[in-house]
């Protein structure tokens, strides 16, 4: 069976790895001319940890684990609160926190030899698959693993606006010099409608600028200028962040959003990872687990295989998305709901106690959602026991 995967990201490579294990020879097409660099640290949690163990890459990820020792919160009046561990990411003790670029490289390495077509993109899916540059080719299955703004989803399922739930929060992630001499620690600055953060670990340091806006969508051009304008006349060390963003040629811009779809497959086309169910905060783990399950289920009769993949994943994805959504609502509705007003009030009154307590609660919820799917029915990593 010839399988084409659109997107050389976390889901694309995880899927390719497992398809290879099952004896398939997948091909990947990636829009960018090389493996895409960039990104902040992302979490590998719960069931996804079992998948990376089965892939044999757990020790490499453990090596790359950022595992924050400390978090510092800076308020607009420049009060600094310091906490042990990672307060923002809500990781459990066993979770891994890896820079996205490290994670992509480790999964890509594990894949070994594989056909990857860089710098091209699918333009049409009919009996043959048509590409921007390459001549048409025939595939039995096409998988959209091309991220939150999936091209395959647009071509086969329709316009992104039907599935995209946005929260009006725009962010930019970029490498930054280690301005605060951080050592496995993160610094976060909050102000009304704005969040600025940076972390550093081992040999890398990344920052994020985020702001809330009335506009859900930003124009794709001049994003650096839009961010510069938004963070103009802001205090603390923000001008240095903006300067680093302007200098960087490795900025990743996007909008905080989720993808919610009634079905993840149509005919011989199926979606995986963010393309199917972008979630925010738990999206990487969902993508890893989804790619694993899809690879285990793919067989000759693909509609049945896709239906089984979706049945296994649906509830797990919904739990993750609902949890992430309730956290996102806090940012999105920062001034409207009484509950949020109360939270903000408590945060002013008892900042340390409040942050510690709410972090504990969020960690517990995250752990529950991230572990809510068991892989017991896929015992032998190479074979689907239902065969
Ligand atoms: C450069 C980058 C930086 C990121 N940084 C962060 C971050 O800081 N924090 C965070 O939470 N999440 C980040 N993400 C998203 C995060 O990687 C995903 O939410 C999660 O890991 C799920 O992975 P995915 O494989 O489904 O999607 P992604 O990791 O987004 O991978 C999608 C892949 O598809 C490729 N692609 C896009 N369009 C096409 C096309 N037309 N044809 C072929 N290929 C295409 C992309 O270039 C990318 O390689 C980032 C993604 C990217 C690409």
């Amino acid at each position: 069976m010839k399988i084409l995967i659109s997107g050389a990201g976390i889901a694309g490579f995880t899927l390719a790895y497992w398809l290879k294990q099952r004896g398939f020879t997948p091909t990947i097409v990636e829009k960018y001319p090389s493996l895409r660099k960039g990104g902040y640290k992302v979490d590998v949690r719960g069931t996804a940890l079992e998948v990376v163990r089965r892939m044999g890459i757990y020790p490499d990820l453990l090596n790359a684990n950022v595992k924050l020792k400390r978090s510092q919160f800076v308020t607009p009046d420049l009060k600094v609160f310091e906490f042990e561990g990672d307060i923002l990411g809500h990781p459990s003790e066993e979770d891994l926190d890896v820079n996205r670029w490290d994670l992509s490289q480790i999964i890509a390495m594990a894949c070994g030899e594989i056909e990857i077509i860089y710098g091209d993109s699918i333009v049409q899916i009919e009996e043959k698959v048509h590409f921007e540059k390459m001549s048409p080719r025939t595939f039995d299955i096409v998988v959209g693993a091309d991220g939150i703004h999936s091209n395959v989803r647009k071509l086969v399922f329709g316009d992104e606006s039907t599935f995209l739930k946005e929260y009006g929060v725009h962010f930019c992630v970029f490498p930054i010099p280690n301005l605060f001499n951080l050592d496995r620690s993160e610094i976060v600055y909050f102000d009304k409608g704005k969040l600025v953060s940076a972390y550093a670990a081992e040999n890398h340091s990344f920052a994020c600028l985020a702001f809330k806006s009335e506009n859900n969508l930003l124009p794709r051009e001049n994003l650096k200028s839009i961010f510069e304008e938004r963070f103009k006349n802001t205090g603390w060390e923000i001008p240095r962040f903006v300067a680093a963003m302007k200098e960087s040629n490795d900025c990743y811009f996007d909008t905080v959003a989720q993808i919610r779809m009634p079905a993840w497959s149509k005919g011989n086309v199926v979606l995986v990872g963010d393309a199917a169910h972008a979630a925010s905060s738990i999206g990487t783990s969902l993508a890893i687990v989804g790619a694993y399950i899809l690879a285990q289920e793919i067989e000759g009769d693909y509609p049945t295989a896709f239906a089984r993949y979706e049945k296994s994943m649906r509830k797990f994805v919904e739990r993750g998305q609902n949890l992430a959504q309730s956290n996102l609502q806090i940012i999105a509705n920062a001034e409207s709901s009484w509950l949020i007003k109360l939270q903000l009030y408590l945060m002013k009154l008892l900042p340390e106690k409040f942050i510690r307590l709410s972090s504990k609660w969020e960690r517990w919820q995250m752990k529950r959602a991230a572990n809510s799917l068991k892989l017991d029915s896929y015992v032998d990593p190479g074979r689907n026991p239902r065969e």
Side-chain angles (χ1 to χ4, degrees):
M1 200 187 289
K2 287 186 188 161
I3 302 172
L4 175 67
I5 302 170
S6 171
I10 309 298
F13 274 119
T14 307
L15 179 66
Y17 173 92
W18 284 108
L19 287 174
K20 267 184 84 180
Q21 294 298 306
R22 297 206 55 220
F24 297 106
T25 315
T27 298
I28 299 185
V29 57
E30 163 63 47
K31 186 172 83 173
Y32 281 81
S34 58
L35 197 56
R36 268 202 83 177
K37 278 189 176 182
Y40 212 67
K41 58 191 177 60
V42 292
D43 299 281
V44 181
R45 324 170 181 266
T47 310
L49 287 171
E50 176 58 18
V51 176
V52 298
R53 276 196 189 98
R54 291 181 184 194
M55 290 171 85
I57 57 172
Y58 182 80
D60 299 323
L61 294 179
L62 200 59
N63 243 346
N65 193 10
V66 170
K67 191 92 183 159
L68 294 183
K69 290 187 291 194
R70 252 173 343 131
S71 311
Q72 286 172 288
F73 280 70
V74 184
T75 61
D77 50 357
L78 303 189
K79 279 193 191 124
V80 181
F81 298 97
E82 202 161 320
F83 302 91
E84 254 180 49
D86 181 350
I87 290 279
L88 214 58
H90 321 305
S92 297
E93 193 47 45
E94 64 281 10
D95 290 354
L96 299 175
D97 217 5
V98 182
N99 177 264
R100 187 197 172 273
W101 170 229
D102 286 345
L103 179 63
S104 330
Q105 287 183 102
I106 290 170
I107 302 179
M109 286 283 284
C111 267
E113 280 285 301
I114 185 168
E115 185 192 9
I116 308 183
I117 301 145
Y118 283 110
D120 210 344
S121 179
I122 300 172
V123 288
Q124 208 174 2
I125 304 172
E126 294 175 322
E127 278 198 11
K128 287 192 169 192
V129 178
H130 297 255
F131 299 89
E132 265 172 26
K133 297 179 189 154
M134 221 181 9
S135 320
R137 278 173 65 173
T138 308
F139 292 93
D140 299 295
I141 290 178
V142 178
V143 184
D146 39 9
I148 189 164
H149 305 293
S150 169
N151 175 47
V152 170
R153 190 183 60 229
K154 193 168 81 196
L155 291 173
V156 177
F157 298 81
D159 195 69
E160 147 170 323
S161 58
T162 322
F163 312 112
L164 196 74
K165 167 113 184 69
E166 284 165 297
Y167 296 87
V169 178
H170 309 282
F171 66 89
C172 173
V173 174
F174 51 95
I176 191 167
N178 191 353
L179 300 178
F180 307 94
N181 289 323
L182 301 172
D183 172 23
R184 286 188 187 279
S185 53
E186 184 170 39
I187 191 158
V188 183
Y189 171 92
F190 283 125
D191 200 350
K192 208 169 153 193
K194 291 193 180 72
L195 185 145
V196 177
S197 69
Y199 84 93
E202 297 293 332
N203 52 1
H204 67 271
S205 169
F206 278 85
C208 175
L209 291 172
F211 67 88
K212 167 94 177 83
S213 154
E214 293 308 312
N215 299 332
N216 272 339
L217 281 177
L218 293 183
R220 297 255 164 146
E221 299 82 37
N222 299 326
L223 282 166
K224 281 189 178 176
S225 316
I226 295 173
F227 272 73
E228 188 182 0
E229 182 62 30
R230 278 289 171 155
F231 286 90
K232 204 168 70 183
N233 305 326
T234 39
W236 189 50
E237 298 284 352
I238 293 174
R240 293 170 78 189
F241 279 72
V242 173
M245 176 199 67
K246 280 171 68 184
E247 264 179 34
S248 171
N249 51 14
D250 191 13
C251 289
Y252 175 68
F253 292 96
D254 211 340
T255 295
V256 176
Q258 290 193 338
I259 291 290
R260 303 244 182 181
M261 299 182 74
W264 300 330
S265 66
K266 204 183 228 182
N268 67 338
V269 178
V270 63
L271 303 175
V272 70
D274 276 8
H277 47 65
S280 163
S281 75
I282 193 173
T284 299
S285 298
L286 296 181
I288 291 173
V289 176
Y292 171 78
I293 289 183
L294 178 60
Q296 301 303 318
E297 295 290 7
I298 283 184
E299 289 170 42
D301 172 21
Y302 52 75
T304 315
F306 295 166
R308 285 209 304 245
Y309 149 67
E310 190 156 339
K311 189 160 181 265
S312 296
M313 283 294 291
R314 262 293 160 189
K315 278 217 172 91
F316 181 54
V317 163
E318 274 168 18
R319 267 190 216 112
Q321 284 193 318
N322 290 343
L323 177 61
Q325 175 163 279
S326 62
N327 294 337
L328 292 174
Q329 299 285 13
I330 295 182
I331 316 173
N333 304 331
E335 282 133 47
S336 55
S337 129
W338 67 266
L339 183 65
I340 287 144
K341 272 189 195 151
L342 178 69
Q343 287 186 344
L344 292 173
Y345 179 68
L346 286 173
M347 204 152 144
K348 269 198 184 139
L349 209 65
L350 311 158
E352 297 207 51
K353 266 205 178 112
F354 177 78
I355 291 176
R356 244 185 256 284
L357 261 178
S358 65
S359 164
K360 222 175 179 174
W361 166 241
E362 276 154 12
R363 196 171 306 166
W364 179 80
Q365 283 187 306
M366 187 60 86
K367 185 171 181 164
R368 209 170 58 138
N371 284 284
S372 64
L373 188 151
K374 300 287 171 228
L375 298 178
D376 302 346
S377 58
Y378 304 99
V379 240
D380 178 347
R383 289 184 66 81
N384 181 347
R386 292 190 197 124
E387 279 176 342

